[in-house]
Structure formats: structure tokens, C-alpha cells
């Protein structure tokens, strides 16, 4: 079914050395997406929607420069799209995948072929459904290896493993999603976290299927850790073992030694781990960093997923050692990890910080309230029943179009789908992070006035340099929002707690070796400054990667104009682009 043509042709390697040219391959996969996979998990049976009958779905392995072709057949009863999280999609925006942004969904019974070339990036990324909550089960890893003749900017590992973290519900996730809309407080929390699809020994009925890897004493392993969970940031730790971070979001970092890794949903972290402990068994464990603070505190899934590392030659009966994980609200550990990473200057695909800045934006990110407005006056679950949670950027709560994608509307000049007046600044200035606002009984008129439902995009001219201060608000509840930008990596120039101060904070920008990412966990009750160059024409959504916040409207879209030449212009859509 799946062909890894690029990794099975030794002649390609030989040729590329002989002529010192890079011979790229076409890597082709078929995704059959069906909702008939039966999973025994947590003492019950679930029928899930899955790709090629596996959870997680197939791992895609390519080399930088390859063209990836994925034929997606939607045999499920749901509308479907697939997004290739973190792939630049240079001039291939039609393949990006967010529903109603770059394409209409693939309707049940239909198919679409995603085709794009992967250039200018290598490392660990992933793919996932980008419509409703389907990504809970429709997701997998996407690994970009160096092109032949190039190597990692670190000692090559002896072996490598994908550690794909996920989130699991003991119910049909589309029903969970619908229920969440009705209650107005979002979907119920999950029943488990998973490592490569498995919850692990700390959950009932799971120990037989726990994910296990074997290591040899003295060897070095590359772990490609991905947070594919929907609604939780996750701490990840290995008992007794240090990790050295070498990349994040498929961008190399200065090696950073740590005993804990934190990943917002959507983020990836590559670490080297040396098997240097006494031969035995050790747990790897992941559990939530629950940064949300409000009155009353929001519920969260406080369970822990585990997998087991066993040394070859260890006694088979040895009980694994469990790591001590940070506290659920350990924001200092969170901030230490996130702010300690730096980019690997002059490493492969290192890009200097672009400048001067053409577009200066200040964007508030946070929650709000809207009238419940359920059909048949069904009350929402917020006390009083009259209000529902929402979320916004600069007070605009983003609603996706339903009849045409934003990219088609832009490309074909069809009006009435969106407006291009997304504001560069919030309409009202206030003490954004004042904890007093962090409660559900914040005056409804204030919270409602902070959330207007709209479909507003920001138009950018080709190659403009964009700087955005992302400012978390305390309204209804503060929380660390993992903000993801499609189509680009950005540099993270600075981050901190409280309200951003344009004078003192801008003097601390790291313009030398900032980390490059596609997803930033904006500190809870704080801010972060990102910068990117809009060199890729298309329509690129920027949104909170907490799945329920995307549905609440924590998003906007950048419509980036074509450049001056055909080589800098978006080609027309493929013939099979799905229609609404
Ligand atoms: Cu990983 Cu817009 O998504």
C-alpha cells in the first residue's frame, strides 16, 4: 500500500555522490481513511476513524528535496482534510489542508491527492486531520531526513525512535465534539494520553500493549517526540536519563541538556538520549502541563501515559523505574524549558532573523464569552445557562467560511467569503493579564464585547517582514496558548510574563540565535514576540493548537500576495481540489 521509494534505492546515493547533485525522489503513499478500526483500550472497545487501519497512522519518511504524493481516499462518513503540520508548502498552498482555509473538505466517498515538494527543512514533523476533532485518531509522524551527502549537525545516533504523544477518548470523538458545542464549554476532557497509540501501565487493561523499546548500554538514541494531543501541553520525562535537545519543530537547536521536555500540542522535540544507566527498565512518561487558571479552575485530564525502555540483558522481571514529573501547574519549569532553547546558528537551514520590520502587529490571544444561542434554547453549561465560551485574537472570534475556501476566494477573486480588515492592534487597551478578570463571572457585557464573530484576514504583500507580539489575556481564564502558523517558521525573539512592554522588552530581543518554530506556547498570562518573512504566497491560518480553542475562534488568516514573477506566484489549484 505504502511505498517508501526514496529509502530503498542505493543507486540514488551513489549517483548523487558521483555528480554531487541532489537527486530527489517521489515518495508516494495512499491513505485509506475509514471509521471501522476496532481498538481495545481502557477496558472497552471503540470504533475509530483511522488511516490504513492503524493508530497512530503510517509514518511518512522522506528526504529533504523529495516530492511527497499522498492519495487520500475518504471512506469514512465524515468530512476530511489532512494537514502536513510544519511543512512550508512553498508555492503548494493548495496542499496545506486546513478545512475551508486552503480547501473544502474531502466529502465521504471522495478523494484528493496532496502533492508537494519538501525543501529547506529537515527533522521531525507530523500530519493530522484538520477538520472537527478527527485528528484525535487521524494523525501520524512525518520525518524529513537529510538529503544524501548531508548529515545531522550532531553525532549520528545509533538508532532512533518516534515518540508520538496523543490523547484518547472512550467515545466517538465527533459525538464528543458535537456535545461540546452544545454545552458551550467545549468537549469533555480526554480519558487518557497515549504514547504511540498506547496509554501504558498506569491505566486499566493496558499493560499488554504498552509501547516498549530496547536499548543497548552505551549507545545513543534519537527520540523524535511529537505532541499530537488535542487539548493539553505535555511534560515528557525518562526515569534517570538526561536528554539533549537538538531540534524543535524541525529546526536545529543549540544542544540543550535537560531532564524534562515540554511540548505544546503541535510541537515536536528531537532529543539524544545516551543509554548510560545500570541495565534495567525505565519508564518514559507524559502528563499534562495544565496552565489554565480561572475561577472555578477548569477540569483537565490528570492521568499519565507511559512507555518502557529496557536495556538488553536486563532481568526480564525488573519493575521499571518511574520518573518524577513536574507539577501540573509548574509554570517555572515550563518557562525555563521554552525560553532556554536557541537556534543553531549556521546549522543546516539556519535562517538569520529577517528585518527591517514592515508589519508590526500586537495581537491579543485569549478567551471570551458569547450568548449561548443553542437551537431550541437548550441551556449552555456555564452557570446561568445563557453564555458560552469563545476565544479570539484582537477581539475577533474567527469563523471558517462554509461555501468556499479562503484560498480559492482569494485566488479567483470571489467576494463575500472573508474581509481583509483583521486589526493590527486590539480595539481596546486594558490591563490584559490582570488576574481579576480570570473567572467565569467576569461581567458578561465586558467579556462579550471582547469577542466579535467574524472572518477577518490580514493581507500581506510578498516578502514583507512581519513581527507579532502575541499577548495572552486573563479574560475568563489565563492559559498558555500554543499558537501555530501555517506555511512558515518564525523566530521567537523574546517571551515573558505579564503585559508586554514595548520599550524594555524590545531591548531584550534575541536577534542573534533565536529558536525557529512553527508553534509557540505563549506563556500563561504572558507574551511572546515572533517574526517571519512572508515569502510564500497563499492563505495561511495562524491558530491556537488546543483543538477546542480553534473551534472557539482563536485564529486568523494571513493572505499573502504573489511576488512579481511566475516563480514567486501561487500556481492554479490541482484539478481534483475538493469542492464544498
Ligand atoms: Cu497542526 Cu493548523 O495545525
Amino acid at each position: 500500500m505504502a511505498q517508501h521509494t526514496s529509502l530503498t534505492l542505493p543507486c540514488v546515493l551513489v549517483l548523487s555522490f558521483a555528480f554531487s547533485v541532489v537527486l530527489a525522489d517521489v515518495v508516494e503513499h495512499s491513505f485509506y481513511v475509514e471509521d471501522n478500526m476496532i481498538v481495545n483500550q481502557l477496558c472497552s472497545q471503540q470504533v475509530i476513524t483511522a488511516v490504513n487501519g492503524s493508530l497512530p497512522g503510517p509514518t511518512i519518511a522522506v528526504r529533504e528535496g523529495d516530492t511527497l504524493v499522498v492519495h487520500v481516499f475518504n471512506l469514512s462518513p465524515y468530512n476530511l482534510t489532512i494537514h502536513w503540520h510544519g511543512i512550508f508548502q512553498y508555492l503548494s498552498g493548495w496542499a496545506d489542508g486546513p478545512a475551508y482555509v486552503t480547501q473544502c473538505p474531502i466529502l465521504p466517498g471522495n478523494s484528493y491527492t496532496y502533492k508537494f515538494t519538501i525543501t529547506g527543512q529537515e527533522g521531525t514533523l507530523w500530519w493530522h486531520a484538520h477538520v472537527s476533532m478527527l485528528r484525535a485518531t487521524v494523525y501520524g509522524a512525518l520525518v524529513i531526513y537529510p538529503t544524501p551527502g548531508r548529515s545531522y549537525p550532531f553525532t549520528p545516533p545509533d538508532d532512533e525512535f518516534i515518540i508520538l504523544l496523543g490523547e484518547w477518548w472512550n467515545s466517538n470523538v465527533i459525538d464528543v465534539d458535537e456535545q461540546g458545542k452544545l454545552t458551550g464549554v467545549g468537549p469533555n476532557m480526554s480519558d487518557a494520553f497515549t504514547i504511540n497509540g498506547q496509554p501504558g501501565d498506569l491505566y486499566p487493561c493496558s499493560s499488554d500493549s504498552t509501547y516498549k523499546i530496547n536499548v543497548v548500554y552505551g549507545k545513543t538514541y534519537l527520540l523524535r517526540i511529537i505532541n499530537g494531543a488535542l487539548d493539553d501541553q505535555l511534560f515528557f520525562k525518562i526515569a534517570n536519563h538526561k536528554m539533549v535537545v537538538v531540534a524543535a519543530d524541525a529546526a536545529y537547536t543549540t544542544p540543550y541538556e535537560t531532564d524534562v521536555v515540554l511540548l505544546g500540542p503541535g510541537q515536536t522535540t528531537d532529543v539524544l538520549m545516551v543509554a548510560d544507566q545500570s541495565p534495567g527498565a525505565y519508564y518514559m512518561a507524559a502528563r499534562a502541563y495544565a496552565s489554565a487558571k480561572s475561577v472555578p479552575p477548569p477540569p483537565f485530564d490528570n492521568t499519565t501515559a507511559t512507555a518502557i525502555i529496557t536495556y538488553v540483558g536486563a532481568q526480564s522481571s525488573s519493575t521499571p523505574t518511574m520518573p518524577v514529573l513536574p507539577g501540573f501547574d509548574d509554570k517555572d519549569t515550563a518557562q525555563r524549558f521554552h525560553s532556554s532553547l536557541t537556534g543553531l546558528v549556521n546549522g543546516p537551514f539556519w535562517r538569520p532573523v529577517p528585518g527591517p520590520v514592515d508589519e508590526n502587529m500586537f495581537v491579543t490571544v485569549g478567551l471570551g464569552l458569547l450568548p449561548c444561542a443553542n437551537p431550541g434554547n437548550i441551556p449552555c453549561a456555564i452557570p446561568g445557562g445563557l453564555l458560552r465560551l469563545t476565544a479570539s485574537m484582537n477581539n475577533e472570534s474567527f469563523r471558517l467560511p462554509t461555501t468556499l475556501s479562503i484560498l480559492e476566494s482569494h485566488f479567483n477573486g470571489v467576494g463575500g467569503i472573508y474581509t481583509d480588515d483583521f486589526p493590527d492592534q486590539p480595539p481596546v487597551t486594558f490591563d490584559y493579564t490582570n488576574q481579576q478578570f480570570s473567572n467565569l463571572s467576569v461581567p458578561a457585557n465586558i467579556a462579550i464585547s471582547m469577542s466579535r464573530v467574524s472572518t477577518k484576514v490580514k493581507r500581506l504583500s510578498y516578502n514583507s517582514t512581519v513581527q507579532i507580539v502575541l499577548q495572552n489575556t486573563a479574560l475568563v481564564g489565563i492559559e498558555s496558548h500554543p499558537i501555530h502558523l501555517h506555511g512558515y517558521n518564525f523566530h521567537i525573539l523574546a517571551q515573558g510574563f505579564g503585559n508586554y512592554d514595548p520599550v524594555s522588552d524590545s531591548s531584550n530581543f534575541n536577534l542573534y540565535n533565536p529558536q525557529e518554530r512553527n508553534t509557540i506556547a505563549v506563556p500563561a498570562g504572558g507574551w511572546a514576540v515572533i517574526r517571519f518573512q512572508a515569502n510564500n504566497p497563499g492563505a495561511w491560518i495562524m491558530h491556537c493548537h488546543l483543538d477546542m480553542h480553534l473551534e472557539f475562534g482563536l485564529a486568523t488568516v494571513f493572505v499573502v500576495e504573489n511576488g512579481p514573477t511566475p516563480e514567486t506566484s501561487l500556481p492554479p489549484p490541482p484539478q481534483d481540489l475538493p469542492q464544498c
Side-chain angles (χ1 to χ4, degrees):
M1 207 147 30
Q3 303 160 13
H4 295 257
T5 49
S6 77
L7 298 177
T8 51
L9 294 175
C11 63
V12 172
L13 282 161
V14 173
L15 280 176
S16 67
F17 283 123
F19 302 106
S20 73
V21 287
V22 173
L23 291 187
D25 273 314
V26 174
V27 177
E28 205 164 350
H29 285 259
S30 292
F31 277 14
Y32 297 94
V33 188
E34 293 184 73
D35 81 330
N36 58 5
M37 184 182 167
I38 298 168
V39 181
N40 291 308
Q41 199 104 287
L42 309 184
C43 315
S44 72
Q45 271 200 345
Q46 284 303 315
V47 175
I48 64 162
T49 310
V51 176
N52 300 349
S54 80
L55 179 77
T59 294
I60 292 182
V62 294
R63 289 190 292 212
E64 195 270 332
D66 286 351
T67 295
L68 180 60
V69 179
V70 184
H71 309 286
V72 176
F73 300 93
N74 183 8
L75 309 174
S76 85
Y78 311 112
N79 285 354
L80 176 74
T81 71
I82 304 286
H83 167 54
W84 317 91
H85 181 115
I87 297 282
F88 295 152
Q89 297 291 4
Y90 187 66
L91 301 184
S92 57
W94 301 109
D96 191 38
Y100 304 107
V101 178
T102 60
Q103 66 165 103
C104 290
I106 309 168
L107 301 178
N110 289 4
S111 65
Y112 179 46
T113 295
Y114 292 88
K115 180 174 179 192
F116 49 92
T117 299
I118 297 160
T119 49
Q121 55 186 160
E122 62 192 37
T124 306
L125 293 171
W126 61 303
W127 55 266
H128 61 79
H130 209 300
V131 57
S132 71
M133 255 179 82
L134 266 190
R135 78 174 174 88
T137 56
V138 177
Y139 68 108
L142 198 176
V143 181
I144 310 164
Y145 290 94
T147 209
R150 299 185 65 121
S151 52
Y152 297 127
F154 46 81
T155 315
D158 294 296
D159 202 354
E160 61 169 66
F161 298 101
I162 287 166
I163 306 291
L164 181 44
L165 310 176
E167 197 163 4
W168 174 261
W169 278 260
N170 267 339
S171 349
N172 176 302
V173 291
I174 302 293
D175 296 344
V176 174
D177 202 22
E178 291 307 316
Q179 183 64 19
K181 285 182 187 139
L182 219 52
T183 61
V185 293
N188 285 342
M189 67 186 187
S190 47
D191 297 297
F193 296 108
T194 55
I195 297 179
N196 293 338
Q198 300 300 331
D201 294 356
L202 306 188
Y203 297 88
C205 312
S206 181
S207 53
D208 290 349
S209 55
T210 295
Y211 179 69
K212 296 185 179 84
I213 59 180
N214 292 320
V215 299
V216 174
Y217 179 84
K219 296 209 176 215
T220 301
Y221 297 90
L222 175 62
L223 305 182
R224 300 176 177 276
I225 314 163
I226 305 162
N227 186 353
L230 278 78
D231 293 322
D232 291 272
Q233 299 202 40
L234 294 168
F235 286 120
F236 174 85
K237 232 175 144 168
I238 307 170
N240 296 16
H241 290 75
K242 293 263 186 226
M243 296 175 270
V244 175
V245 177
V246 290
D249 292 5
Y252 292 111
T253 61
T254 316
Y256 173 70
E257 191 181 270
T258 181
D259 62 353
V260 63
V261 166
L262 174 60
L263 304 103
Q267 293 185 319
T268 73
T269 309
D270 291 358
V271 303
L272 294 174
M273 183 209 78
V274 180
D276 58 1
Q277 294 300 302
S278 52
Y282 300 88
Y283 277 121
M284 302 184 256
R287 76 173 192 191
Y289 165 45
S291 69
K293 289 262 183 308
S294 69
V295 183
F300 68 96
D301 182 343
N302 65 0
T303 61
T304 303
T306 53
I308 301 172
I309 294 181
T310 308
Y311 280 64
V312 171
Q315 286 199 340
S316 56
S317 61
S318 53
T319 318
T321 310
M322 184 69 190
V324 180
L325 286 148
F328 290 114
D329 60 350
D330 188 344
K331 73 173 186 175
D332 295 331
T333 296
Q335 197 52 13
R336 188 174 329 116
F337 179 78
H338 280 321
S339 62
S340 293
L341 299 180
T342 52
L344 186 64
V345 177
N346 297 327
F349 305 110
W350 160 255
R351 272 165 284 263
V353 178
V357 173
D358 303 299
E359 299 276 357
N360 239 310
M361 301 177 72
F362 185 99
V363 177
T364 54
V365 296
L367 303 178
L369 297 169
L370 280 175
C372 173
N374 268 339
N377 288 330
I378 303 172
C380 285
I382 289 183
L386 298 175
L387 297 167
R388 63 171 52 246
L389 286 178
T390 188
S392 62
M393 290 188 168
N394 279 348
N395 299 10
E396 304 293 342
S397 184
F398 193 82
R399 289 300 174 274
L400 291 164
T402 53
T403 55
L404 191 68
S405 72
I406 289 175
L407 187 55
E408 286 169 281
S409 158
H410 163 65
F411 193 86
N412 297 319
V414 179
I417 300 298
Y418 64 84
T419 57
D420 59 7
D421 53 349
F422 180 80
D424 287 348
Q425 308 286 330
V428 223
T429 309
F430 62 105
D431 179 6
Y432 305 110
T433 50
N434 191 328
Q435 297 261 354
Q436 227 172 280
F437 304 130
S438 269
N439 62 70
L440 272 177
S441 48
V442 68
N445 58 336
I446 295 183
I448 290 174
S449 71
M450 297 286 184
S451 339
R452 176 168 51 176
V453 172
S454 64
T455 306
K456 294 189 177 187
V457 311
K458 166 77 182 172
R459 200 175 272 274
L460 296 173
S461 43
Y462 177 75
N463 252 349
S464 52
T465 296
V466 187
Q467 179 174 301
I468 310 172
V469 176
L470 296 163
Q471 173 70 61
N472 183 211
T473 64
L475 206 67
V476 179
I478 68 161
E479 182 162 10
S480 171
H481 296 278
I483 303 295
H484 171 46
L485 175 64
H486 287 217
Y488 301 93
N489 280 356
F490 46 74
H491 289 93
I492 302 170
L493 305 186
Q495 49 189 308
F497 293 112
N499 297 334
Y500 174 73
D501 181 323
V503 179
S504 60
D505 292 327
S506 64
S507 66
N508 291 326
F509 283 0
N510 179 357
L511 299 172
Y512 166 63
N513 67 349
Q515 55 179 313
E516 227 187 287
R517 278 196 174 270
N518 61 54
T519 306
I520 164 124
V522 178
W527 52 270
V529 183
I530 63 172
R531 199 186 281 184
F532 67 99
Q533 188 165 19
N535 62 358
N536 190 5
W540 309 106
I541 188 169
M542 177 173 77
H543 65 91
C544 182
H545 217 285
L546 296 169
D547 207 67
M548 71 163 90
H549 291 181
L550 173 57
E551 296 199 352
F552 286 168
L554 223 177
T556 188
V557 166
F558 292 102
V559 169
V560 179
E561 304 283 4
N562 282 334
T565 61
E567 294 72 44
T568 54
S569 298
L570 181 69
Q575 297 255 300
D576 61 341
L577 186 76
Q579 299 302 301
C580 285

